[in-house]
Amino acid sequence: MAERQDQAAPDAVLTRIGQVVILHHGGDREEARRRFLDLWAELAEDGDPLHRCTLAHYLADTQDDPSDELAWDLRALSAAEELAQDHEAGPGSPAAVRAFYPSLHLNLAADYVKLGHSEAARTHLRRARGAADALGDDRYGDGVRAAISRLELRLGEDGPSGGTWGPPRQRPM
């Protein structure tokens, strides 16, 4: 019974990340970035991959420099890949892990657009589209698929427009 209660207990780290996301969405980007970086220092590079994936994904949104945003999004993808490997080796929900990939690759594609790297953007956009079948038929899934389609149209018609355009970022969690 105690084991079942532990599984149902809220994840304190994810709760803390969510609180900082609310702060960021409320407009305090600098404080959100500071708090996210403090959390990252607590987790370290060998922390739980779900926590690192989630945190890096949201931390990317607080960056001013597109290169820094890309670096955090790459960390998020790396942690998701580690999480997927962990799920292959043990219990868990591989479907939930697969649902991260469309958004992670979409964000990477948008980062590469901002940096003017159209081929890298197209590569990640193809990966986002290829992974989109893992998304549910819900508001979140519809939003990610729509953002993928918008970026496909943008890259297909004009190519990247230089440093200012990007689709709305979609969250895997």
Side-chain angles (χ1 to χ4, degrees):
M1 184 65 144
E3 183 177 320
R4 198 175 305 154
Q5 287 177 340
D6 287 343
Q7 291 173 352
D11 184 316
V13 174
L14 292 178
T15 298
R16 290 172 64 197
I17 292 169
Q19 290 168 339
V20 180
V21 168
I22 292 168
L23 179 69
H24 180 233
H25 288 171
D28 199 342
R29 184 180 180 141
E30 292 298 321
E31 181 64 15
R33 180 173 36 227
R34 186 189 66 73
R35 289 187 190 187
F36 280 144
L37 288 170
D38 288 346
L39 274 168
W40 186 263
E42 286 179 36
L43 292 178
E45 290 293 325
D46 61 347
D48 181 286
L50 174 62
H51 296 156
R52 286 185 289 118
C53 177
T54 306
L55 182 55
H57 183 67
Y58 286 113
L59 193 58
D61 292 341
T62 67
Q63 301 306 302
D64 296 323
D65 183 314
S67 295
D68 293 336
E69 186 175 358
L70 172 63
W72 284 108
D73 279 330
L74 287 169
R75 285 181 185 106
L77 179 62
S78 177
E81 289 170 348
E82 186 180 331
L83 185 60
Q85 289 172 352
D86 289 350
H87 281 282
E88 288 174 10
S93 175
V97 175
R98 283 193 309 272
F100 293 170
Y101 287 105
S103 178
L104 294 172
H105 284 293
L106 173 64
N107 291 341
L108 285 163
D111 295 341
Y112 283 119
V113 166
K114 291 176 191 175
L115 293 167
H117 300 287
S118 60
E119 283 310 307
R122 285 183 178 92
T123 295
H124 282 282
L125 193 55
R126 282 191 297 273
R127 291 177 183 164
R129 176 59 71 194
D133 63 337
L135 294 168
D137 289 326
D138 55 19
R139 197 168 140 209
Y140 172 76
D142 293 344
V144 173
R145 282 186 289 274
I148 291 169
S149 294
R150 285 191 302 273
L151 188 52
E152 285 172 336
L153 286 173
R154 181 71 178 194
L155 287 174
E157 293 175 2
D158 305 327
S161 62
T164 59
W165 181 87
R169 294 184 55 88
Q170 301 295 320
R171 309 293 184 264
M173 292 26 95

